[in-house]
Amino acid sequence: MSTTQTVRVDLAERSYDIVIGPQLLASAGERIKAILPKAKCAIVTDENVAAIHLDTLMSSFKSSGIEAETIVMPAGESTKSYAHLEQIVEAAIAMRLERGDAIVAFGGGVIGDLTGFAAAIVRRGVNFVQIPTSLLAQVDSSVGGKTAINSPQGKNLVGAFYQPKLVIADTSVLDTLTEREFRAGFAEVIKYGLINDAEFYNWLELNWSEIRNGGEARVHAIATSCRAKAAIVTRDEFEAGERALLNLGHTFGHALEGIAQYKSDILVHGEGVAIGMVLAHAFSARMNQSSTDDTRRITNYLKSVGLPTDISYLKDHIKSADQMMEFIAQDKKVSRGDLTFILTHGIGKAFVSKDVPASEVHAFLSEALGG
Ligand SMILES: NC(=O)c1ccc[n+]([C@@H]2O[C@H](COP(=O)([O-])OP(=O)(O)OC[C@H]3O[C@@H](n4cnc5c(N)ncnc54)[C@H](O)[C@@H]3O)[C@@H](O)[C@H]2O)c1
Ligand SMILES: [Zn+2]
């Protein structure tokens, strides 16, 4: 039987615990009650998660004597909208939720981002609890307090930094994710090894099937990822510097997502990140910062996990290097032809580079796309 691990996110009076382990939904009510003894809860979830896991969560709340109502949203990225935000905010007000009460996000990153922003603005901020149910949400979006909805003009353009009071990551609920969603989330786990923890990366290479199967290895992979993100967030909560490292592979990845028009049947976020991390390593090697051996090694590993690694994965959609550059320029503030990029000196040695010539990126992409 796996043990439960707790990761503390240290942010002075905004500090909180991330509890990680199997079958935690059953004790979620008790855990929330322990830190917010009198809170009434609005639980926001999506229809997929509601269909499979909501009963378990509700019975835990019930047996702890917590008064709770549920708000069920449609599944998918388009739910991160003004209209759905309004729906949650108005439902919370109608419930007469007060400052001491709580809004609980029960779902993937979409529900977490949307619900966290609602919690930040209802009565200028009510307590917020995250119960992330996708691998991506457990290792990334539920940690660190970034919340947002999308504007018609772009992703995550409207939001707030708002930390939860508690995060409960039940590693068993991941068993009902699709194979593809699990792998996509795993790209973010690999990212933490690549950023600054070569030892973790080595361990991941040896333990993919154990992590996929659940149990102790899965808890360890998720807890190590949360610890890595928490450490970075503690040092740089508002992304003045180091927090940007978390974007390793994301500049290229976001461009690919844009090219795929954010259509998840073509590309999901983690797949874009997987290709993006390979590109970031290959580009670093081209700039004489790292070795092509590392690029080969991570390519092989990502492939063995079942993730895409090559830009040709989107060959039916990418028109040209110019088109990629347009998306990259949108994602970044381009200052005098230079771009800020996360580059690497090798596995576990990522760094922020603020003066990458756009022309070099263009030349690299032209080559990657076959000249
Ligand atoms: N705030 C942050 O720091 C941060 C970081 C990374 C990503 N994000 C955001 O996270 C979002 C992506 O999150 P995601 O990948 O979790 O997407 P998602 O929330 O859309 O979940 C993916 C799919 O899995 C389903 N699902 C979730 N849990 C399930 C379970 N246990 N069993 C079966 N199905 C389940 C969902 O219904 C959905 O269909 C994006 O909007 C992104 O911008 C935020
Ligand atoms: Zn990501």
Side-chain angles (χ1 to χ4, degrees):
M1 188 66 201
S2 315
T3 44
T4 296
Q5 293 199 32
T6 300
V7 174
R8 181 85 177 155
V9 184
D10 235 321
L11 293 166
E13 70 285 358
R14 281 169 288 108
S15 300
Y16 55 96
D17 283 341
I18 306 168
V19 191
I20 302 146
Q23 312 296 347
L24 289 183
L25 288 189
S27 61
E30 262 168 62
R31 289 177 194 276
I32 292 171
K33 192 138 193 140
I35 58 158
L36 302 167
K38 295 205 176 85
K40 184 158 74 174
C41 292
I43 302 170
V44 184
T45 185
D46 76 21
E47 50 205 10
N48 294 341
V49 176
I52 316 173
H53 299 292
L54 188 57
D55 285 349
T56 314
L57 186 68
M58 288 310 278
S59 55
S60 157
F61 276 50
K62 204 166 170 195
S63 57
S64 314
I66 299 176
E67 192 187 325
E69 281 183 34
T70 55
I71 304 167
V72 182
M73 296 276 119
E77 182 70 27
S78 57
T79 298
K80 275 172 63 173
S81 71
Y82 286 109
H84 293 99
L85 177 72
E86 179 178 358
Q87 214 178 311
I88 296 169
V89 167
E90 291 304 323
I93 297 170
M95 266 180 79
R96 304 191 185 289
L97 227 62
E98 297 185 6
R99 286 257 181 94
D101 296 324
I103 299 188
V104 179
F106 183 46
V110 164
I111 290 298
D113 279 14
L114 167 72
T115 305
F117 188 37
I121 61 178
V122 167
R123 293 180 180 270
R124 300 196 182 85
V126 297
N127 294 308
F128 176 40
V129 173
Q130 288 260 28
I131 308 184
T133 63
S134 68
L135 180 54
L136 179 135
Q138 294 193 353
V139 299
D140 193 353
S141 60
S142 70
V143 184
K146 278 192 185 176
T147 74
I149 58 169
N150 301 326
S151 144
Q153 301 185 65
K155 241 178 94 96
N156 296 331
L157 292 181
V158 183
F161 283 97
Y162 197 65
Q163 302 291 347
K165 288 282 187 289
L166 175 68
V167 181
I168 301 170
D170 179 338
T171 54
S172 313
V173 302
L174 305 181
D175 287 338
T176 61
L177 281 176
T178 61
E179 193 62 42
R180 189 174 178 212
E181 288 292 352
F182 192 94
R183 286 177 179 163
F186 195 63
E188 304 278 6
V189 174
I190 296 171
K191 181 186 79 177
Y192 294 111
L194 295 179
I195 290 175
N196 61 10
D197 192 346
E199 202 180 308
F200 181 48
Y201 178 83
N202 294 341
W203 180 84
L204 289 172
E205 271 192 341
L206 298 172
N207 287 282
W208 157 245
S209 1
E210 282 77 4
I211 297 164
R212 181 68 194 96
N213 293 339
E216 200 87 56
R218 185 183 290 176
V219 175
H220 177 71
I222 294 170
T224 307
S225 301
C226 289
R227 223 172 279 123
K229 182 158 182 185
I232 291 176
V233 167
T234 297
R235 292 192 292 262
D236 180 20
E237 186 179 6
F238 301 109
E239 199 163 331
E242 188 189 353
R243 190 166 178 166
L245 287 174
L246 297 169
N247 292 329
L248 175 66
H250 281 60
T251 300
F252 290 122
H254 286 154
L256 296 169
E257 283 184 277
I259 283 168
Q261 297 173 292
Y262 296 100
K263 289 190 181 145
S264 58
D265 52 329
I266 302 173
L267 191 79
V268 295
H269 176 73
E271 293 168 344
V273 171
I275 301 171
M277 291 190 302
V278 172
L279 290 174
H281 279 74
F283 182 64
S284 301
R286 190 179 196 273
M287 302 290 281
N288 297 317
Q289 300 294 322
S290 69
S291 121
T292 52
D293 290 348
D294 280 345
T295 314
R296 248 192 310 278
R297 184 172 162 196
I298 70 162
T299 305
N300 289 337
Y301 179 48
L302 290 163
K303 264 191 199 152
S304 73
V305 161
L307 283 160
T309 57
D310 197 298
I311 200 164
S312 66
Y313 186 74
L314 284 185
K315 63 177 177 321
D316 297 341
H317 303 273
I318 303 175
K319 294 196 192 81
S320 61
D322 285 343
Q323 183 201 19
M324 285 274 300
M325 289 307 291
E326 259 171 53
F327 280 102
I328 288 172
Q330 259 174 35
D331 196 57
K332 298 271 160 192
K333 288 176 197 76
V334 187
S335 66
R336 285 179 247 102
D338 286 347
L339 297 162
T340 299
F341 250 86
I342 311 308
L343 299 183
T344 183
H345 294 308
I347 289 167
K349 295 181 200 152
F351 64 98
V352 183
S353 173
K354 296 202 164 159
D355 49 6
V356 174
S359 58
E360 291 284 346
V361 181
H362 188 279
F364 166 73
L365 287 171
S366 297
E367 277 167 33
L369 289 165

